[in-house]
Amino acid sequence: MTEMETKEKTTIVLFSGDLDKAIAAFIIANGAAAYDHDVTIFFTFWGLNALRKDQKIAVKKGFVERMFGKMMPRGAGKLGLSKMNFGGMGPQMIKHVMKKHNALSLPQLIELAQEQGIRLVACTMTMDLLGLQAEELLDGVEHAGVAAYLGDATDAKVNLFI
Amino acid sequence: MTEMETKEKTTIVLFSGDLDKAIAAFIIANGAAAYDHDVTIFFTFWGLNALRKDQKIAVKKGFVERMFGKMMPRGAGKLGLSKMNFGGMGPQMIKHVMKKHNALSLPQLIELAQEQGIRLVACTMTMDLLGLQAEELLDGVEHAGVAAYLGDATDAKVNLFI
Amino acid sequence: MTEMETKEKTTIVLFSGDLDKAIAAFIIANGAAAYDHDVTIFFTFWGLNALRKDQKIAVKKGFVERMFGKMMPRGAGKLGLSKMNFGGMGPQMIKHVMKKHNALSLPQLIELAQEQGIRLVACTMTMDLLGLQAEELLDGVEHAGVAAYLGDATDAKVNLFI
């Protein structure tokens, strides 16, 4: 067994499309990477919205997929809160206090994750279901299915579903 | 130690009664079983609703338990979404795209889980609290408490709370 | 390696401020402690509300932090449900059936956790963001950041995010 194989592993399934949960996921992920873990975040269902580019991308879609695309938040800057969303006032309050305390914003946390080599993996099955196409997601995002997730999770010490 | 004891284990606590989270739980569980893990799903609180039979079962209940029984969705076919439920339109949209992409429905995923030998365990304490009785749940469901869960989780590599 | 170092470890991140999820977290935690695990619960974001003292504590705060303080539930006795909250009727129903079945209430579960030596750790970063100060939280609560969590989680067999 080589030195590299002994690195601890952490996986997170980010199912939620809520700003507060996505922040928690990326803080744990970035912490684990700083702690020298191999970290993978699997984005499934609403969690995929955190990976969307913030501009509209021209792609061909069916009617229901187009509706999902319109109704779901376009990117990390548009997510709502799981609690106390108050029609968007809650996210503004959270962003305000994060800035005040010099905490990284979600887009900055995602950038840091990519710089630290955290693997961001979009679940191909839910991309199909929600009609999200590779061009609509951030550059550098990988694509894989549940088998890849389980392969990583089985080797990891810390596995969370958020 | 025999060959059999070395099988990997996966446990999932399904707390949520949301269609999308239940689908995610069963996709991971069925994937892990296909990957040759021993898999157990513990259903607690609203997660128990995924195990209810879809017809009304005649059982004696107290007033509050009867109210819970009426207000909670009766079975995997009746669950709502955690996001974008839109009074039931969201679940229809998800079911539509799942059918279109030949993805298994939640009732089919549950059936597959039982065929693959995944243990479906109903939490006895929350069955008591919500007034759900064994006859109201799908055939083949086991019943156990938190001690049984912890025994399994301690031996497992992948433990998720959904 | 000494006998003590071989004790199993369990960690729970309690992110949610919902009564039902907090009950689930404390039932698993108390079960694991009874099962002789070293157990740590990390309270982050809305989960911190379960640790608030139920009376108002006089502390200096900024405007947004004061608003968060007023809008968030003050302590384990005030939390709402993740589902079927019905403006507070749901929590009353749950408390009613828990009492009827002689189940411990959330404040009692927290007390038991402290008696069993479960470490209750408040996330310092989210305390800062939400403007919660040490005096506002229950006595005996520790304070730490994500690095402490990851240190514990890497040694633990069971790690849940609730």
Side-chain angles (χ1 to χ4, degrees):
Chain A
M1 198 180 292
T2 72
E3 187 82 12
M4 278 189 68
E5 289 177 80
T6 64
K7 232 175 154 184
E8 300 286 9
K9 286 190 167 112
T10 291
T11 75
I12 294 173
V13 176
L14 185 57
F15 171 96
S16 168
D18 298 319
L19 175 64
D20 41 355
K21 291 197 175 171
I23 290 171
F26 273 95
I27 286 175
I28 294 172
N30 278 313
Y35 215 73
D36 206 33
H37 287 208
D38 272 332
V39 184
T40 310
I41 310 180
F42 289 88
F43 297 80
T44 187
F45 281 89
W46 322 110
L48 287 168
N49 291 322
L51 296 182
R52 291 175 82 186
K53 290 179 184 152
D54 57 5
Q55 72 273 38
K56 205 171 176 306
I57 308 293
V59 282
K60 276 185 97 165
K61 294 197 184 190
F63 177 70
V64 175
E65 290 82 355
R66 192 162 298 275
M67 278 180 72
F68 272 123
K70 276 187 193 305
M71 292 185 308
M72 298 189 304
R74 195 172 269 129
K78 307 276 177 43
L79 305 182
L81 289 182
S82 67
K83 288 280 153 188
M84 308 210 307
N85 195 52
F86 299 128
M89 193 181 78
Q92 292 314 316
M93 284 173 66
I94 286 287
K95 287 173 189 174
H96 170 85
V97 291
M98 287 179 74
K99 205 163 189 175
K100 184 173 154 183
H101 288 280
N102 295 313
L104 296 182
S105 68
L106 181 55
Q108 290 171 324
L109 286 167
I110 295 175
E111 213 182 301
L112 176 61
Q114 292 191 302
E115 284 168 14
Q116 291 206 90
I118 293 173
R119 290 171 55 215
L120 307 182
V121 182
C123 167
T124 46
M125 196 201 89
T126 46
M127 282 179 67
D128 276 356
L129 291 184
L130 300 175
L132 292 172
Q133 297 175 26
E135 307 91 288
E136 297 179 85
L137 303 184
L138 298 179
D139 297 329
V141 166
E142 297 173 49
H143 302 82
V146 69
Y149 164 65
L150 285 162
D152 285 347
T154 305
D155 288 343
K157 283 279 186 60
V158 183
N159 295 305
L160 303 174
F161 185 100
I162 298 184
Chain B
M1 199 182 290
T2 73
E3 188 80 13
M4 280 190 65
E5 289 176 80
T6 63
K7 232 175 154 184
E8 300 287 7
K9 287 189 165 115
T10 290
T11 76
I12 294 174
V13 176
L14 184 57
F15 171 96
S16 169
D18 297 320
L19 175 64
D20 41 355
K21 290 197 176 173
I23 289 171
F26 274 94
I27 287 175
I28 294 172
N30 278 313
Y35 215 73
D36 206 34
H37 287 206
D38 272 331
V39 184
T40 309
I41 311 179
F42 289 86
F43 296 80
T44 187
F45 280 89
W46 322 110
L48 287 167
N49 291 321
L51 296 182
R52 291 177 82 186
K53 289 177 184 152
D54 58 5
Q55 72 273 38
K56 204 173 176 306
I57 308 294
V59 284
K60 277 185 93 165
K61 294 198 183 187
F63 176 70
V64 175
E65 290 81 354
R66 193 163 297 277
M67 279 181 72
F68 272 123
K70 276 189 194 301
M71 292 185 307
M72 298 188 306
R74 196 172 268 127
K78 308 276 176 44
L79 305 181
L81 289 183
S82 68
K83 287 282 153 185
M84 308 211 307
N85 194 54
F86 299 130
M89 194 182 77
Q92 292 313 316
M93 286 173 65
I94 285 287
K95 288 173 189 174
H96 169 85
V97 289
M98 287 179 72
K99 205 164 189 174
K100 184 173 154 184
H101 289 278
N102 295 314
L104 296 182
S105 69
L106 181 56
Q108 290 171 324
L109 286 167
I110 295 175
E111 215 182 301
L112 176 61
Q114 291 193 302
E115 285 168 14
Q116 291 206 92
I118 292 174
R119 292 170 56 215
L120 307 182
V121 181
C123 167
T124 46
M125 195 202 89
T126 44
M127 283 178 67
D128 277 356
L129 291 185
L130 301 176
L132 292 172
Q133 298 176 25
E135 307 90 289
E136 296 180 84
L137 303 184
L138 298 179
D139 296 330
V141 166
E142 298 174 50
H143 302 82
V146 69
Y149 164 65
L150 286 162
D152 285 347
T154 305
D155 287 344
K157 281 280 185 63
V158 184
N159 295 306
L160 303 174
F161 185 100
I162 299 184
Chain C
M1 201 182 287
T2 72
E3 188 80 12
M4 280 190 64
E5 287 176 81
T6 63
K7 235 175 151 182
E8 300 287 9
K9 287 189 167 114
T10 290
T11 76
I12 294 173
V13 176
L14 184 58
F15 170 95
S16 168
D18 296 319
L19 175 63
D20 40 356
K21 291 199 175 171
I23 290 171
F26 274 94
I27 287 175
I28 294 172
N30 279 311
Y35 215 74
D36 206 33
H37 287 206
D38 272 331
V39 184
T40 308
I41 311 179
F42 290 86
F43 297 80
T44 187
F45 279 89
W46 323 111
L48 287 168
N49 291 322
L51 296 182
R52 290 177 83 186
K53 290 178 184 152
D54 57 6
Q55 72 273 37
K56 204 173 178 306
I57 308 293
V59 282
K60 277 186 97 165
K61 295 197 184 188
F63 176 71
V64 175
E65 289 82 354
R66 193 163 297 276
M67 279 181 73
F68 272 124
K70 276 187 194 305
M71 294 184 308
M72 298 188 304
R74 195 171 268 128
K78 308 276 175 45
L79 306 181
L81 289 182
S82 66
K83 288 280 154 188
M84 306 211 308
N85 195 53
F86 299 130
M89 194 182 77
Q92 293 312 317
M93 285 174 66
I94 284 287
K95 288 174 188 172
H96 170 85
V97 291
M98 288 180 72
K99 204 162 189 175
K100 184 174 154 184
H101 288 279
N102 295 314
L104 296 182
S105 68
L106 181 55
Q108 289 171 324
L109 286 167
I110 295 175
E111 214 182 301
L112 176 61
Q114 292 192 301
E115 284 167 14
Q116 290 205 95
I118 292 173
R119 290 171 56 214
L120 307 182
V121 182
C123 167
T124 46
M125 195 202 89
T126 45
M127 282 179 67
D128 276 356
L129 291 185
L130 300 175
L132 292 172
Q133 299 177 23
E135 307 91 288
E136 297 180 84
L137 303 185
L138 297 179
D139 298 328
V141 166
E142 299 173 48
H143 302 80
V146 69
Y149 164 65
L150 286 162
D152 285 347
T154 305
D155 288 344
K157 283 280 185 63
V158 183
N159 295 306
L160 303 173
F161 184 100
I162 298 185

